[in-house]
PDB file of all heavy atoms in Angstrom:
ATOM      1  N   LEU A  26      39.971  20.019  64.489  1.00 36.00           N
ATOM      2  CA  LEU A  26      41.087  19.427  63.761  1.00 36.00           C
ATOM      3  C   LEU A  26      40.716  19.335  62.293  1.00 36.00           C
ATOM      4  O   LEU A  26      39.725  18.722  61.925  1.00 36.00           O
ATOM      5  CB  LEU A  26      41.393  18.025  64.302  1.00 36.00           C
ATOM      6  CG  LEU A  26      42.529  17.283  63.609  1.00 36.00           C
ATOM      7  CD1 LEU A  26      43.841  17.995  63.897  1.00 36.00           C
ATOM      8  CD2 LEU A  26      42.586  15.846  64.066  1.00 36.00           C
ATOM      9  N   GLU A  27      41.490  19.979  61.462  1.00 38.00           N
ATOM     10  CA  GLU A  27      41.184  19.985  60.039  1.00 38.00           C
ATOM     11  C   GLU A  27      41.950  18.875  59.331  1.00 38.00           C
ATOM     12  O   GLU A  27      43.119  18.642  59.587  1.00 38.00           O
ATOM     13  CB  GLU A  27      41.548  21.343  59.434  1.00 38.00           C
ATOM     14  CG  GLU A  27      40.687  22.482  59.997  1.00 38.00           C
ATOM     15  CD  GLU A  27      41.005  23.811  59.319  1.00 38.00           C
ATOM     16  OE1 GLU A  27      41.911  23.826  58.470  1.00 38.00           O
ATOM     17  OE2 GLU A  27      40.348  24.808  59.654  1.00 38.00           O
ATOM     18  N   LEU A  28      41.266  18.207  58.443  1.00 36.00           N
ATOM     19  CA  LEU A  28      41.856  17.120  57.670  1.00 36.00           C
ATOM     20  C   LEU A  28      41.790  17.475  56.200  1.00 36.00           C
ATOM     21  O   LEU A  28      40.749  17.870  55.691  1.00 36.00           O
ATOM     22  CB  LEU A  28      41.090  15.818  57.920  1.00 36.00           C
ATOM     23  CG  LEU A  28      41.011  15.369  59.391  1.00 36.00           C
ATOM     24  CD1 LEU A  28      40.015  14.231  59.541  1.00 36.00           C
ATOM     25  CD2 LEU A  28      42.362  14.944  59.883  1.00 36.00           C
ATOM     26  N   SER A  29      42.882  17.349  55.530  1.00 34.00           N
ATOM     27  CA  SER A  29      42.900  17.676  54.110  1.00 34.00           C
ATOM     28  C   SER A  29      43.072  16.410  53.301  1.00 34.00           C
ATOM     29  O   SER A  29      43.628  15.425  53.753  1.00 34.00           O
ATOM     30  CB  SER A  29      44.060  18.637  53.812  1.00 34.00           C
ATOM     31  OG  SER A  29      45.296  18.005  54.017  1.00 34.00           O
ATOM     32  N   SER A  30      42.583  16.446  52.084  1.00 34.00           N
ATOM     33  CA  SER A  30      42.680  15.256  51.241  1.00 34.00           C
ATOM     34  C   SER A  30      44.120  14.883  50.957  1.00 34.00           C
ATOM     35  O   SER A  30      44.443  13.731  50.743  1.00 34.00           O
ATOM     36  CB  SER A  30      41.915  15.500  49.931  1.00 34.00           C
ATOM     37  OG  SER A  30      42.459  16.619  49.248  1.00 34.00           O
ATOM     38  N   ALA A  31      45.019  15.882  50.980  1.00 34.00           N
ATOM     39  CA  ALA A  31      46.426  15.598  50.707  1.00 34.00           C
ATOM     40  C   ALA A  31      47.069  14.817  51.844  1.00 34.00           C
ATOM     41  O   ALA A  31      48.099  14.198  51.674  1.00 34.00           O
ATOM     42  CB  ALA A  31      47.187  16.909  50.499  1.00 34.00           C
ATOM     43  N   ALA A  32      46.453  14.870  53.020  1.00 34.00           N
ATOM     44  CA  ALA A  32      47.025  14.211  54.187  1.00 34.00           C
ATOM     45  C   ALA A  32      46.379  12.858  54.448  1.00 34.00           C
ATOM     46  O   ALA A  32      46.477  12.314  55.522  1.00 34.00           O
ATOM     47  CB  ALA A  32      46.854  15.103  55.420  1.00 34.00           C
ATOM     48  N   TYR A  33      45.691  12.334  53.460  1.00 33.00           N
ATOM     49  CA  TYR A  33      45.011  11.054  53.651  1.00 33.00           C
ATOM     50  C   TYR A  33      45.127  10.244  52.365  1.00 33.00           C
ATOM     51  O   TYR A  33      45.079  10.800  51.273  1.00 33.00           O
ATOM     52  CB  TYR A  33      43.540  11.298  54.016  1.00 33.00           C
ATOM     53  CG  TYR A  33      42.894  10.108  54.646  1.00 33.00           C
ATOM     54  CD1 TYR A  33      43.224   9.735  55.938  1.00 33.00           C
ATOM     55  CD2 TYR A  33      41.977   9.348  53.947  1.00 33.00           C
ATOM     56  CE1 TYR A  33      42.632   8.635  56.518  1.00 33.00           C
ATOM     57  CE2 TYR A  33      41.382   8.239  54.525  1.00 33.00           C
ATOM     58  CZ  TYR A  33      41.722   7.889  55.818  1.00 33.00           C
ATOM     59  OH  TYR A  33      41.147   6.792  56.389  1.00 33.00           O
ATOM     60  N   PRO A  34      45.303   8.945  52.468  1.00 45.00           N
ATOM     61  CA  PRO A  34      45.526   8.146  51.262  1.00 45.00           C
ATOM     62  C   PRO A  34      44.318   8.024  50.345  1.00 45.00           C
ATOM     63  O   PRO A  34      44.456   7.608  49.217  1.00 45.00           O
ATOM     64  CB  PRO A  34      45.931   6.782  51.823  1.00 45.00           C
ATOM     65  CG  PRO A  34      45.347   6.750  53.193  1.00 45.00           C
ATOM     66  CD  PRO A  34      45.432   8.156  53.685  1.00 45.00           C
ATOM     67  N   TRP A  35      43.114   8.350  50.832  1.00 42.00           N
ATOM     68  CA  TRP A  35      41.924   8.292  50.004  1.00 42.00           C
ATOM     69  C   TRP A  35      41.227   9.643  50.031  1.00 42.00           C
ATOM     70  O   TRP A  35      41.526  10.494  50.847  1.00 42.00           O
ATOM     71  CB  TRP A  35      41.004   7.181  50.515  1.00 42.00           C
ATOM     72  CG  TRP A  35      41.692   5.867  50.404  1.00 42.00           C
ATOM     73  CD1 TRP A  35      41.909   5.155  49.274  1.00 42.00           C
ATOM     74  CD2 TRP A  35      42.319   5.155  51.454  1.00 42.00           C
ATOM     75  NE1 TRP A  35      42.619   4.017  49.546  1.00 42.00           N
ATOM     76  CE2 TRP A  35      42.879   3.990  50.893  1.00 42.00           C
ATOM     77  CE3 TRP A  35      42.472   5.375  52.822  1.00 42.00           C
ATOM     78  CZ2 TRP A  35      43.592   3.062  51.636  1.00 42.00           C
ATOM     79  CZ3 TRP A  35      43.157   4.445  53.563  1.00 42.00           C
ATOM     80  CH2 TRP A  35      43.710   3.300  52.970  1.00 42.00           C
ATOM     81  N   PRO A  36      40.284   9.900  49.144  1.00 40.00           N
ATOM     82  CA  PRO A  36      39.629  11.205  49.073  1.00 40.00           C
ATOM     83  C   PRO A  36      39.007  11.617  50.401  1.00 40.00           C
ATOM     84  O   PRO A  36      38.631  10.789  51.218  1.00 40.00           O
ATOM     85  CB  PRO A  36      38.543  10.999  48.004  1.00 40.00           C
ATOM     86  CG  PRO A  36      39.038   9.856  47.185  1.00 40.00           C
ATOM     87  CD  PRO A  36      39.772   8.966  48.137  1.00 40.00           C
ATOM     88  N   LEU A  37      38.908  12.936  50.612  1.00 40.00           N
ATOM     89  CA  LEU A  37      38.327  13.458  51.833  1.00 40.00           C
ATOM     90  C   LEU A  37      36.906  12.939  52.024  1.00 40.00           C
ATOM     91  O   LEU A  37      36.438  12.761  53.152  1.00 40.00           O
ATOM     92  CB  LEU A  37      38.307  14.994  51.796  1.00 40.00           C
ATOM     93  CG  LEU A  37      37.822  15.721  53.073  1.00 40.00           C
ATOM     94  CD1 LEU A  37      38.684  15.339  54.259  1.00 40.00           C
ATOM     95  CD2 LEU A  37      37.815  17.223  52.873  1.00 40.00           C
ATOM     96  N   GLU A  38      36.218  12.643  50.913  1.00 46.00           N
ATOM     97  CA  GLU A  38      34.858  12.137  51.015  1.00 46.00           C
ATOM     98  C   GLU A  38      34.805  10.800  51.764  1.00 46.00           C
ATOM     99  O   GLU A  38      33.759  10.381  52.233  1.00 46.00           O
ATOM    100  CB  GLU A  38      34.247  11.955  49.624  1.00 46.00           C
ATOM    101  CG  GLU A  38      33.907  13.253  48.918  1.00 46.00           C
ATOM    102  CD  GLU A  38      35.145  13.995  48.418  1.00 46.00           C
ATOM    103  OE1 GLU A  38      36.223  13.363  48.329  1.00 46.00           O
ATOM    104  OE2 GLU A  38      35.046  15.196  48.146  1.00 46.00           O
ATOM    105  N   ALA A  39      35.960  10.132  51.845  1.00 43.00           N
ATOM    106  CA  ALA A  39      35.988   8.866  52.573  1.00 43.00           C
ATOM    107  C   ALA A  39      35.645   9.068  54.044  1.00 43.00           C
ATOM    108  O   ALA A  39      35.267   8.127  54.734  1.00 43.00           O
ATOM    109  CB  ALA A  39      37.371   8.213  52.457  1.00 43.00           C
ATOM    110  N   PHE A  40      35.789  10.314  54.545  1.00 46.00           N
ATOM    111  CA  PHE A  40      35.422  10.581  55.922  1.00 46.00           C
ATOM    112  C   PHE A  40      33.912  10.739  56.084  1.00 46.00           C
ATOM    113  O   PHE A  40      33.418  10.877  57.186  1.00 46.00           O
ATOM    114  CB  PHE A  40      36.113  11.856  56.426  1.00 46.00           C
ATOM    115  CG  PHE A  40      37.533  11.622  56.867  1.00 46.00           C
ATOM    116  CD1 PHE A  40      38.580  11.859  55.995  1.00 46.00           C
ATOM    117  CD2 PHE A  40      37.813  11.151  58.127  1.00 46.00           C
ATOM    118  CE1 PHE A  40      39.878  11.636  56.399  1.00 46.00           C
ATOM    119  CE2 PHE A  40      39.113  10.921  58.529  1.00 46.00           C
ATOM    120  CZ  PHE A  40      40.151  11.164  57.665  1.00 46.00           C
ATOM    121  N   GLN A  41      33.175  10.778  54.988  1.00 49.00           N
ATOM    122  CA  GLN A  41      31.715  10.881  55.051  1.00 49.00           C
ATOM    123  C   GLN A  41      31.085   9.738  54.241  1.00 49.00           C
ATOM    124  O   GLN A  41      30.489   9.966  53.188  1.00 49.00           O
ATOM    125  CB  GLN A  41      31.236  12.233  54.502  1.00 49.00           C
ATOM    126  CG  GLN A  41      31.725  13.426  55.311  1.00 49.00           C
ATOM    127  CD  GLN A  41      32.935  14.089  54.696  1.00 49.00           C
ATOM    128  OE1 GLN A  41      33.102  14.068  53.502  1.00 49.00           O
ATOM    129  NE2 GLN A  41      33.786  14.672  55.518  1.00 49.00           N
ATOM    130  N   PRO A  42      31.211   8.515  54.699  1.00 52.00           N
ATOM    131  CA  PRO A  42      30.697   7.392  53.907  1.00 52.00           C
ATOM    132  C   PRO A  42      29.179   7.312  53.864  1.00 52.00           C
ATOM    133  O   PRO A  42      28.622   6.680  52.980  1.00 52.00           O
ATOM    134  CB  PRO A  42      31.287   6.177  54.620  1.00 52.00           C
ATOM    135  CG  PRO A  42      31.485   6.633  56.022  1.00 52.00           C
ATOM    136  CD  PRO A  42      31.854   8.078  55.929  1.00 52.00           C
ATOM    137  N   THR A  43      28.484   7.916  54.833  1.00 51.00           N
ATOM    138  CA  THR A  43      27.022   7.828  54.845  1.00 51.00           C
ATOM    139  C   THR A  43      26.360   9.180  54.729  1.00 51.00           C
ATOM    140  O   THR A  43      25.391   9.352  54.006  1.00 51.00           O
ATOM    141  CB  THR A  43      26.522   7.155  56.135  1.00 51.00           C
ATOM    142  OG1 THR A  43      27.030   7.882  57.267  1.00 51.00           O
ATOM    143  CG2 THR A  43      27.004   5.716  56.207  1.00 51.00           C
ATOM    144  N   VAL A  44      26.875  10.161  55.450  1.00 53.00           N
ATOM    145  CA  VAL A  44      26.324  11.513  55.398  1.00 53.00           C
ATOM    146  C   VAL A  44      27.480  12.489  55.301  1.00 53.00           C
ATOM    147  O   VAL A  44      28.625  12.138  55.528  1.00 53.00           O
ATOM    148  CB  VAL A  44      25.466  11.834  56.646  1.00 53.00           C
ATOM    149  CG1 VAL A  44      24.228  10.976  56.685  1.00 53.00           C
ATOM    150  CG2 VAL A  44      26.280  11.658  57.920  1.00 53.00           C
ATOM    151  N   ASP A  45      27.178  13.704  54.970  1.00 65.00           N
ATOM    152  CA  ASP A  45      28.219  14.708  54.770  1.00 65.00           C
ATOM    153  C   ASP A  45      28.676  15.284  56.107  1.00 65.00           C
ATOM    154  O   ASP A  45      28.504  16.474  56.377  1.00 65.00           O
ATOM    155  CB  ASP A  45      27.691  15.820  53.861  1.00 65.00           C
ATOM    156  CG  ASP A  45      28.816  16.761  53.440  1.00 65.00           C
ATOM    157  OD1 ASP A  45      29.979  16.341  53.524  1.00 65.00           O
ATOM    158  OD2 ASP A  45      28.509  17.900  53.044  1.00 65.00           O
ATOM    159  N   SER A  46      29.241  14.439  56.960  1.00 75.00           N
ATOM    160  CA  SER A  46      29.716  14.908  58.262  1.00 75.00           C
ATOM    161  C   SER A  46      30.743  13.938  58.818  1.00 75.00           C
ATOM    162  O   SER A  46      30.698  12.727  58.548  1.00 75.00           O
ATOM    163  CB  SER A  46      28.554  15.055  59.248  1.00 75.00           C
ATOM    164  OG  SER A  46      28.106  13.796  59.673  1.00 75.00           O
ATOM    165  N   LEU A  47      31.637  14.469  59.596  1.00 79.00           N
ATOM    166  CA  LEU A  47      32.630  13.636  60.262  1.00 79.00           C
ATOM    167  C   LEU A  47      31.959  12.726  61.281  1.00 79.00           C
ATOM    168  O   LEU A  47      32.383  11.591  61.496  1.00 79.00           O
ATOM    169  CB  LEU A  47      33.680  14.525  60.944  1.00 79.00           C
ATOM    170  CG  LEU A  47      34.829  13.825  61.657  1.00 79.00           C
ATOM    171  CD1 LEU A  47      35.602  12.939  60.709  1.00 79.00           C
ATOM    172  CD2 LEU A  47      35.750  14.857  62.306  1.00 79.00           C
ATOM    173  N   THR A  48      30.888  13.213  61.895  1.00 83.00           N
ATOM    174  CA  THR A  48      30.168  12.408  62.880  1.00 83.00           C
ATOM    175  C   THR A  48      29.605  11.136  62.249  1.00 83.00           C
ATOM    176  O   THR A  48      29.739  10.038  62.805  1.00 83.00           O
ATOM    177  CB  THR A  48      29.013  13.228  63.493  1.00 83.00           C
ATOM    178  OG1 THR A  48      29.555  14.367  64.155  1.00 83.00           O
ATOM    179  CG2 THR A  48      28.215  12.386  64.489  1.00 83.00           C
ATOM    180  N   GLY A  49      28.988  11.287  61.081  1.00 85.00           N
ATOM    181  CA  GLY A  49      28.452  10.116  60.404  1.00 85.00           C
ATOM    182  C   GLY A  49      29.534   9.119  60.065  1.00 85.00           C
ATOM    183  O   GLY A  49      29.352   7.902  60.213  1.00 85.00           O
ATOM    184  N   SER A  50      30.662   9.634  59.619  1.00 85.00           N
ATOM    185  CA  SER A  50      31.777   8.756  59.278  1.00 85.00           C
ATOM    186  C   SER A  50      32.281   8.012  60.507  1.00 85.00           C
ATOM    187  O   SER A  50      32.578   6.813  60.453  1.00 85.00           O
ATOM    188  CB  SER A  50      32.905   9.573  58.648  1.00 85.00           C
ATOM    189  OG  SER A  50      34.003   8.754  58.345  1.00 85.00           O
ATOM    190  N   ALA A  51      32.392   8.739  61.627  1.00 85.00           N
ATOM    191  CA  ALA A  51      32.880   8.114  62.848  1.00 85.00           C
ATOM    192  C   ALA A  51      31.925   7.031  63.335  1.00 85.00           C
ATOM    193  O   ALA A  51      32.352   5.960  63.796  1.00 85.00           O
ATOM    194  CB  ALA A  51      33.077   9.172  63.927  1.00 85.00           C
ATOM    195  N   LEU A  52      30.631   7.295  63.244  1.00 88.00           N
ATOM    196  CA  LEU A  52      29.643   6.310  63.685  1.00 88.00           C
ATOM    197  C   LEU A  52      29.718   5.035  62.844  1.00 88.00           C
ATOM    198  O   LEU A  52      29.586   3.924  63.363  1.00 88.00           O
ATOM    199  CB  LEU A  52      28.239   6.910  63.633  1.00 88.00           C
ATOM    200  CG  LEU A  52      27.972   8.049  64.633  1.00 88.00           C
ATOM    201  CD1 LEU A  52      26.579   8.622  64.421  1.00 88.00           C
ATOM    202  CD2 LEU A  52      28.149   7.561  66.070  1.00 88.00           C
ATOM    203  N   VAL A  53      29.925   5.211  61.536  1.00 89.00           N
ATOM    204  CA  VAL A  53      30.088   4.040  60.673  1.00 89.00           C
ATOM    205  C   VAL A  53      31.373   3.301  61.042  1.00 89.00           C
ATOM    206  O   VAL A  53      31.420   2.066  61.060  1.00 89.00           O
ATOM    207  CB  VAL A  53      30.105   4.460  59.191  1.00 89.00           C
ATOM    208  CG1 VAL A  53      30.518   3.298  58.309  1.00 89.00           C
ATOM    209  CG2 VAL A  53      28.734   4.967  58.781  1.00 89.00           C
ATOM    210  N   SER A  54      32.423   4.054  61.376  1.00 87.00           N
ATOM    211  CA  SER A  54      33.699   3.442  61.749  1.00 87.00           C
ATOM    212  C   SER A  54      33.589   2.624  63.025  1.00 87.00           C
ATOM    213  O   SER A  54      34.370   1.690  63.250  1.00 87.00           O
ATOM    214  CB  SER A  54      34.762   4.534  61.935  1.00 87.00           C
ATOM    215  OG  SER A  54      34.968   5.248  60.739  1.00 87.00           O
ATOM    216  N   LEU A  55      32.629   2.973  63.854  1.00 88.00           N
ATOM    217  CA  LEU A  55      32.446   2.259  65.116  1.00 88.00           C
ATOM    218  C   LEU A  55      31.708   0.933  64.944  1.00 88.00           C
ATOM    219  O   LEU A  55      31.658   0.121  65.876  1.00 88.00           O
ATOM    220  CB  LEU A  55      31.675   3.133  66.109  1.00 88.00           C
ATOM    221  CG  LEU A  55      32.465   4.260  66.781  1.00 88.00           C
ATOM    222  CD1 LEU A  55      31.511   5.199  67.504  1.00 88.00           C
ATOM    223  CD2 LEU A  55      33.490   3.690  67.763  1.00 88.00           C
ATOM    224  N   LEU A  56      31.121   0.706  63.785  1.00 92.00           N
ATOM    225  CA  LEU A  56      30.305  -0.489  63.578  1.00 92.00           C
ATOM    226  C   LEU A  56      31.037  -1.799  63.888  1.00 92.00           C
ATOM    227  O   LEU A  56      30.462  -2.685  64.537  1.00 92.00           O
ATOM    228  CB  LEU A  56      29.757  -0.518  62.151  1.00 92.00           C
ATOM    229  CG  LEU A  56      28.641   0.489  61.836  1.00 92.00           C
ATOM    230  CD1 LEU A  56      28.257   0.404  60.357  1.00 92.00           C
ATOM    231  CD2 LEU A  56      27.425   0.223  62.721  1.00 92.00           C
ATOM    232  N   PRO A  57      32.298  -1.989  63.440  1.00 89.00           N
ATOM    233  CA  PRO A  57      32.977  -3.256  63.769  1.00 89.00           C
ATOM    234  C   PRO A  57      33.122  -3.471  65.275  1.00 89.00           C
ATOM    235  O   PRO A  57      32.954  -4.592  65.759  1.00 89.00           O
ATOM    236  CB  PRO A  57      34.349  -3.107  63.088  1.00 89.00           C
ATOM    237  CG  PRO A  57      34.120  -2.114  61.997  1.00 89.00           C
ATOM    238  CD  PRO A  57      33.112  -1.154  62.536  1.00 89.00           C
ATOM    239  N   LEU A  58      33.420  -2.385  66.011  1.00 83.00           N
ATOM    240  CA  LEU A  58      33.579  -2.503  67.464  1.00 83.00           C
ATOM    241  C   LEU A  58      32.240  -2.767  68.135  1.00 83.00           C
ATOM    242  O   LEU A  58      32.149  -3.567  69.074  1.00 83.00           O
ATOM    243  CB  LEU A  58      34.209  -1.236  68.036  1.00 83.00           C
ATOM    244  CG  LEU A  58      35.615  -0.892  67.535  1.00 83.00           C
ATOM    245  CD1 LEU A  58      36.130   0.354  68.231  1.00 83.00           C
ATOM    246  CD2 LEU A  58      36.561  -2.060  67.756  1.00 83.00           C
ATOM    247  N   VAL A  59      31.209  -2.075  67.676  1.00 88.00           N
ATOM    248  CA  VAL A  59      29.875  -2.300  68.235  1.00 88.00           C
ATOM    249  C   VAL A  59      29.459  -3.750  68.026  1.00 88.00           C
ATOM    250  O   VAL A  59      28.928  -4.408  68.932  1.00 88.00           O
ATOM    251  CB  VAL A  59      28.849  -1.343  67.593  1.00 88.00           C
ATOM    252  CG1 VAL A  59      27.428  -1.715  68.016  1.00 88.00           C
ATOM    253  CG2 VAL A  59      29.155   0.102  67.985  1.00 88.00           C
ATOM    254  N   PHE A  60      29.712  -4.260  66.822  1.00 91.00           N
ATOM    255  CA  PHE A  60      29.373  -5.661  66.533  1.00 91.00           C
ATOM    256  C   PHE A  60      30.135  -6.591  67.471  1.00 91.00           C
ATOM    257  O   PHE A  60      29.553  -7.517  68.056  1.00 91.00           O
ATOM    258  CB  PHE A  60      29.703  -5.999  65.076  1.00 91.00           C
ATOM    259  CG  PHE A  60      29.384  -7.422  64.697  1.00 91.00           C
ATOM    260  CD1 PHE A  60      28.176  -7.733  64.087  1.00 91.00           C
ATOM    261  CD2 PHE A  60      30.275  -8.458  64.961  1.00 91.00           C
ATOM    262  CE1 PHE A  60      27.858  -9.044  63.748  1.00 91.00           C
ATOM    263  CE2 PHE A  60      29.981  -9.770  64.629  1.00 91.00           C
ATOM    264  CZ  PHE A  60      28.773 -10.057  64.012  1.00 91.00           C
ATOM    265  N   PHE A  61      31.431  -6.346  67.611  1.00 83.00           N
ATOM    266  CA  PHE A  61      32.267  -7.243  68.408  1.00 83.00           C
ATOM    267  C   PHE A  61      31.803  -7.286  69.859  1.00 83.00           C
ATOM    268  O   PHE A  61      31.555  -8.363  70.421  1.00 83.00           O
ATOM    269  CB  PHE A  61      33.738  -6.806  68.350  1.00 83.00           C
ATOM    270  CG  PHE A  61      34.664  -7.749  69.057  1.00 83.00           C
ATOM    271  CD1 PHE A  61      35.289  -8.777  68.371  1.00 83.00           C
ATOM    272  CD2 PHE A  61      34.889  -7.639  70.423  1.00 83.00           C
ATOM    273  CE1 PHE A  61      36.127  -9.670  69.028  1.00 83.00           C
ATOM    274  CE2 PHE A  61      35.717  -8.523  71.087  1.00 83.00           C
ATOM    275  CZ  PHE A  61      36.342  -9.539  70.386  1.00 83.00           C
ATOM    276  N   PHE A  62      31.709  -6.114  70.491  1.00 79.00           N
ATOM    277  CA  PHE A  62      31.400  -6.093  71.913  1.00 79.00           C
ATOM    278  C   PHE A  62      29.944  -6.476  72.190  1.00 79.00           C
ATOM    279  O   PHE A  62      29.628  -7.004  73.252  1.00 79.00           O
ATOM    280  CB  PHE A  62      31.732  -4.724  72.504  1.00 79.00           C
ATOM    281  CG  PHE A  62      33.216  -4.478  72.614  1.00 79.00           C
ATOM    282  CD1 PHE A  62      33.842  -3.521  71.838  1.00 79.00           C
ATOM    283  CD2 PHE A  62      33.979  -5.225  73.482  1.00 79.00           C
ATOM    284  CE1 PHE A  62      35.213  -3.304  71.926  1.00 79.00           C
ATOM    285  CE2 PHE A  62      35.350  -5.029  73.586  1.00 79.00           C
ATOM    286  CZ  PHE A  62      35.970  -4.069  72.801  1.00 79.00           C
ATOM    287  N   THR A  63      29.051  -6.245  71.249  1.00 86.00           N
ATOM    288  CA  THR A  63      27.669  -6.691  71.415  1.00 86.00           C
ATOM    289  C   THR A  63      27.585  -8.208  71.323  1.00 86.00           C
ATOM    290  O   THR A  63      26.945  -8.870  72.154  1.00 86.00           O
ATOM    291  CB  THR A  63      26.749  -6.051  70.354  1.00 86.00           C
ATOM    292  OG1 THR A  63      26.792  -4.626  70.477  1.00 86.00           O
ATOM    293  CG2 THR A  63      25.315  -6.514  70.539  1.00 86.00           C
ATOM    294  N   ALA A  64      28.235  -8.765  70.310  1.00 86.00           N
ATOM    295  CA  ALA A  64      28.222 -10.216  70.138  1.00 86.00           C
ATOM    296  C   ALA A  64      28.884 -10.923  71.313  1.00 86.00           C
ATOM    297  O   ALA A  64      28.424 -11.979  71.771  1.00 86.00           O
ATOM    298  CB  ALA A  64      28.925 -10.594  68.833  1.00 86.00           C
ATOM    299  N   LEU A  65      29.962 -10.318  71.834  1.00 77.00           N
ATOM    300  CA  LEU A  65      30.697 -10.945  72.929  1.00 77.00           C
ATOM    301  C   LEU A  65      30.019 -10.709  74.269  1.00 77.00           C
ATOM    302  O   LEU A  65      29.795 -11.640  75.047  1.00 77.00           O
ATOM    303  CB  LEU A  65      32.127 -10.397  72.969  1.00 77.00           C
ATOM    304  CG  LEU A  65      33.068 -11.002  74.027  1.00 77.00           C
ATOM    305  CD1 LEU A  65      33.280 -12.480  73.765  1.00 77.00           C
ATOM    306  CD2 LEU A  65      34.408 -10.255  74.033  1.00 77.00           C
ATOM    307  N   GLY A  66      29.689  -9.434  74.552  1.00 74.00           N
ATOM    308  CA  GLY A  66      29.180  -9.092  75.877  1.00 74.00           C
ATOM    309  C   GLY A  66      27.704  -9.343  76.067  1.00 74.00           C
ATOM    310  O   GLY A  66      27.260  -9.647  77.186  1.00 74.00           O
ATOM    311  N   VAL A  67      26.908  -9.227  75.006  1.00 81.00           N
ATOM    312  CA  VAL A  67      25.458  -9.388  75.130  1.00 81.00           C
ATOM    313  C   VAL A  67      25.015 -10.802  74.770  1.00 81.00           C
ATOM    314  O   VAL A  67      24.253 -11.441  75.499  1.00 81.00           O
ATOM    315  CB  VAL A  67      24.707  -8.353  74.261  1.00 81.00           C
ATOM    316  CG1 VAL A  67      23.200  -8.565  74.365  1.00 81.00           C
ATOM    317  CG2 VAL A  67      25.083  -6.931  74.678  1.00 81.00           C
ATOM    318  N   PHE A  68      25.504 -11.296  73.632  1.00 84.00           N
ATOM    319  CA  PHE A  68      25.062 -12.602  73.158  1.00 84.00           C
ATOM    320  C   PHE A  68      26.013 -13.742  73.552  1.00 84.00           C
ATOM    321  O   PHE A  68      25.716 -14.909  73.285  1.00 84.00           O
ATOM    322  CB  PHE A  68      24.877 -12.574  71.642  1.00 84.00           C
ATOM    323  CG  PHE A  68      23.790 -11.633  71.200  1.00 84.00           C
ATOM    324  CD1 PHE A  68      24.095 -10.377  70.687  1.00 84.00           C
ATOM    325  CD2 PHE A  68      22.449 -11.988  71.326  1.00 84.00           C
ATOM    326  CE1 PHE A  68      23.092  -9.501  70.284  1.00 84.00           C
ATOM    327  CE2 PHE A  68      21.443 -11.128  70.926  1.00 84.00           C
ATOM    328  CZ  PHE A  68      21.761  -9.877  70.409  1.00 84.00           C
ATOM    329  N   SER A  69      27.162 -13.389  74.136  1.00 77.00           N
ATOM    330  CA  SER A  69      28.116 -14.391  74.649  1.00 77.00           C
ATOM    331  C   SER A  69      28.561 -15.381  73.587  1.00 77.00           C
ATOM    332  O   SER A  69      28.756 -16.569  73.863  1.00 77.00           O
ATOM    333  CB  SER A  69      27.511 -15.153  75.842  1.00 77.00           C
ATOM    334  OG  SER A  69      27.196 -14.266  76.884  1.00 77.00           O
ATOM    335  N   LEU A  70      28.723 -14.909  72.363  1.00 82.00           N
ATOM    336  CA  LEU A  70      29.242 -15.771  71.307  1.00 82.00           C
ATOM    337  C   LEU A  70      30.724 -16.040  71.549  1.00 82.00           C
ATOM    338  O   LEU A  70      31.420 -15.227  72.148  1.00 82.00           O
ATOM    339  CB  LEU A  70      29.052 -15.100  69.938  1.00 82.00           C
ATOM    340  CG  LEU A  70      27.607 -14.890  69.464  1.00 82.00           C
ATOM    341  CD1 LEU A  70      27.607 -14.185  68.115  1.00 82.00           C
ATOM    342  CD2 LEU A  70      26.874 -16.219  69.371  1.00 82.00           C
TER     343      LEU A  70
END
């Protein structure tokens, strides 16, 4: 699936916040969910 900068409200580089790859961007995007389910399911906060 190709994503162009014209089809996104911020620069295409926003998809690579840590490394020059979509995978890196996706992993960073997962951080809020990882935090939530870890805090809830593991630490029972």
Side-chain angles (χ1 to χ4, degrees):
L26 179 67
E27 295 184 358
L28 303 169
S29 66
S30 59
Y33 198 72
W35 298 285
L37 185 59
E38 288 73 17
F40 278 96
Q41 297 99 30
T43 56
V44 294
D45 190 20
S46 74
L47 182 58
T48 299
S50 178
L52 293 176
V53 170
S54 299
L55 284 168
L56 288 176
L58 298 182
V59 171
F60 180 96
F61 185 93
F62 288 112
T63 300
L65 183 63
V67 178
F68 296 101
S69 300
L70 294 179

